[in-house]
Amino acid sequence: MLAASALVALAFASCNYTVQAGEYCDLISAAKNVSTYQLAVVNADAVNAECTNLQPGQNLCLGTQGEDCSTTYVVQPDDTCDAVMQAHAINSTILYANNPQIDAQCANLYIGEVLCTANSVLVPPAPANGQIPATTIPASAQPASPTVNGDDEDLPFCDEIDD
Ligand SMILES: *[C@@H]1O[C@H](CO)[C@@H](O)[C@H](O)[C@H]1NC(C)=O
Ligand SMILES: *[C@@H]1O[C@H](CO)[C@@H](O)[C@H](O)[C@H]1NC(C)=O
Ligand SMILES: *[C@@H]1O[C@H](CO)[C@@H](O)[C@H](O)[C@H]1NC(C)=O
């Protein structure tokens, strides 16, 4: 189907990253400017949602050079979607389009997550099964904002996704 063939095309584009011992997905994402979402999608057939099954020597795809998001930002303690959007001069439509794993309240950002902060939609198509991979916060990760409790009063921009 369309999404599957698109994914195969992506997979052939740049699949020559070799995992080293001790590496994990977000470490690779941060080093290579590949968003958490993009790395998960283009390797959805090989890497599980929590990224706990990487093997040293394994080849990963990073995406398609020139067509993927290489403008990235690593989430820091106390970050919010608002702060990320302001710092990178992007709106919530673009932030959510490029990082579909972020929930509607922006309550699931975690420290070390790699976001695409490009100001245009640069995101690989979702896998054919429609599931967004890596939506589970890794056990090792901490929420970015300790005050998040589902109350999005201080996150007005996150509501604009409905537009
Ligand atoms: C390996 O990946 C890089 C981008 O990371 C790409 O420029 C290069 O063409 C790739 N080489 C092969 C043999 O696929
Ligand atoms: C990642 O982005 C930073 C900031 O733009 C840049 O300095 C760095 O060279 C990039 N790294 C790679 C592997 O593209
Ligand atoms: C969000 O930003 C994009 C890129 O600059 C722009 O095309 C779009 O109109 C903006 N959307 C809203 C709702 O402001």
Side-chain angles (χ1 to χ4, degrees):
M1 298 155 53
L2 193 59
S5 54
L7 191 61
V8 169
L10 268 179
F12 280 117
S14 174
C15 298
N16 55 8
Y17 182 80
T18 305
V19 176
Q20 310 294 310
E23 289 187 334
Y24 51 94
C25 285
D26 284 337
L27 184 80
I28 297 166
S29 288
K32 293 296 178 181
N33 295 347
V34 174
S35 73
T36 291
Y37 178 80
Q38 179 170 310
L39 191 75
V41 169
V42 298
N43 298 288
D45 54 348
V47 178
N48 66 24
E50 293 83 19
C51 189
T52 54
N53 62 342
L54 286 190
Q55 300 296 327
Q58 179 178 354
N59 267 8
L60 291 183
C61 306
L62 298 179
T64 305
Q65 212 159 24
E67 294 179 16
D68 59 0
C69 182
S70 57
T71 305
T72 54
Y73 171 73
V74 180
V75 173
Q76 305 296 312
D78 299 328
D79 268 345
T80 62
C81 282
D82 280 358
V84 171
M85 289 187 284
Q86 281 173 19
H88 299 275
I90 57 175
N91 62 39
S92 62
T93 306
I94 296 284
L95 181 74
Y96 275 94
N98 280 326
N99 304 279
Q101 79 277 18
I102 302 176
D103 68 24
Q105 284 75 40
C106 191
N108 64 343
L109 282 191
Y110 62 87
I111 298 166
E113 184 175 16
V114 183
L115 302 178
C116 171
T117 52
N119 194 21
S120 58
V121 176
L122 291 170
V123 71
N129 65 11
Q131 287 185 347
I132 298 173
T135 50
T136 307
I137 297 177
S140 59
Q142 296 168 10
S145 175
T147 57
V148 161
N149 57 9
D151 176 0
D152 62 352
E153 265 178 9
D154 58 344
L155 298 174
F157 291 100
C158 283
D159 294 335
E160 295 177 3
I161 192 68
D162 293 334
D163 291 350

